[in-house]
Amino acid sequence: GAKPGVNYTEGAVQKEKKRVPKLPDLIEKRDWSGALGLLQWQMNMEGMTEEQKLKEQEDINEKRFWMAYCYSHLGDFEQAMQKIQEHLKHDTEPEPAAWLWKAVCLFGLGQWKEAEECALRGPAGQLQNRILFHTAHRMGDEAKLMIYHQKMSNSLEDQLSLASMHFLRGHFQEATDVYKRVLLEGRDNIALNVYVALCYYKLDYYDVALEILQLYLSKHADSIFAVNLKACNHYKLY
């Protein structure tokens, strides 16, 4: 029954519904923790009618997929892997992209070969190519690396993936060139200034790195990474 002293009127319920954020809005804002909280709340079956539970059960596997998606963006690959495994096990028609996200989790856990095998089970496309591009690098397979490199498009995601590869291989000038090109196309990607600054730091241009870093710090003064990078540049200069 209802708890004493709590009046669940229809108006109050409607008001409560209005306050609950929508999952697509949280995903779009990249509020991964908020999205996870919402999904966990939705998956809590307590206080539901049998009819509601039945309907919710139908959606539960989709929620597992989105939980894995959020966990992987938070860097918690073990939790993400657990949810993806549950999704693939219990859903008769799992999301085809689930194999790619499983590959992302395996990559995050340092299991390169398994990540490659999983990615090949997922749908072909840019995400699959990016995963295979990076697994080839980690496994030292230069022939495969060049094949996936040639398939890179001009999309933002592919270009950032390419820049990160240049950085990993110590090609800091090439990485800087890619980041600058992306910045010219979209000034809104202000966080890229931190990556440009990191490249200049690696190239020993500490004063230039500080100047570029300030563009980001003027808007996000509490960024631990940017503050640390600024301190490293100051140390090298003075």
Side-chain angles (χ1 to χ4, degrees):
K3 290 180 183 176
V6 181
N7 182 17
Y8 290 107
T9 63
E10 195 176 330
V13 170
Q14 289 302 319
K15 196 175 177 183
E16 186 63 30
K17 277 185 179 175
K18 282 181 187 174
R19 280 211 299 265
V20 177
K22 298 275 191 294
L23 182 64
D25 297 337
L26 293 167
I27 297 287
E28 195 177 334
K29 288 184 200 166
R30 303 178 70 80
D31 182 0
W32 312 120
S33 298
L36 269 174
L38 177 64
L39 287 162
Q40 284 161 348
W41 175 73
Q42 287 175 341
M43 284 178 79
N44 184 356
M45 297 290 192
E46 286 179 27
M48 287 189 185
T49 65
E50 287 307 312
E51 191 182 345
Q52 284 173 318
K53 281 185 184 180
L54 195 65
K55 185 183 181 300
E56 200 63 33
Q57 196 64 39
E58 292 169 10
D59 301 332
I60 209 158
N61 255 320
E62 189 183 348
K63 289 184 172 62
R64 285 191 181 114
F65 174 78
W66 283 110
M67 286 177 88
Y69 185 85
C70 294
Y71 275 126
S72 62
H73 277 87
L74 287 167
D76 191 343
F77 298 110
E78 285 186 12
Q79 283 284 355
M81 176 69 90
Q82 188 184 326
K83 293 299 172 192
I84 280 287
Q85 295 280 51
E86 288 172 9
H87 173 76
L88 289 167
K89 181 182 174 183
H90 296 292
D91 203 329
T92 49
E93 293 180 19
E95 286 275 346
W99 290 107
L100 296 180
W101 285 102
K102 186 178 178 183
V104 168
C105 295
L106 287 163
F107 187 90
L109 294 167
Q111 298 174 36
W112 324 124
K113 187 65 186 165
E114 294 85 347
E116 180 191 47
E117 288 166 2
C118 233
L120 289 167
R121 290 185 70 174
Q126 289 181 321
L127 177 57
Q128 185 199 58
N129 191 65
R130 287 195 296 273
I131 296 166
L132 294 170
F133 182 51
H134 282 272
T135 53
H137 165 69
R138 294 291 184 175
M139 292 189 291
D141 193 328
E142 291 295 313
K144 280 184 182 176
L145 183 83
M146 290 315 296
I147 291 167
Y148 301 129
H149 187 174
Q150 285 161 13
K151 291 181 182 178
M152 284 286 175
S153 71
N154 286 323
S155 74
L156 176 64
E157 292 84 359
D158 276 10
Q159 287 303 300
L160 293 180
S161 186
L162 192 58
S164 71
M165 183 61 75
H166 282 313
F167 187 91
L168 287 167
R169 293 164 79 86
H171 305 153
F172 305 120
Q173 188 57 59
E174 288 88 342
T176 305
D177 293 343
V178 176
Y179 286 133
K180 281 183 171 178
R181 193 164 60 245
V182 172
L183 273 167
L184 280 172
E185 290 167 9
R187 291 282 176 186
D188 292 340
N189 300 311
I190 188 170
L192 292 185
N193 286 297
V194 179
Y195 293 106
V196 176
L198 183 59
C199 290
Y200 277 120
Y201 172 79
K202 289 286 190 179
L203 290 164
D204 300 338
Y205 294 124
Y206 308 119
D207 48 352
V208 179
L210 280 170
E211 198 176 316
I212 293 166
L213 205 51
Q214 199 51 46
L215 294 169
Y216 183 74
L217 283 168
S218 63
K219 289 188 169 60
H220 303 279
D222 59 345
S223 167
I224 295 169
F225 185 86
V227 169
N228 281 340
L229 183 54
K230 183 180 178 180
C232 291
N233 278 287
H234 276 300
Y235 175 77
K236 289 288 187 179
L237 278 170
Y238 307 111

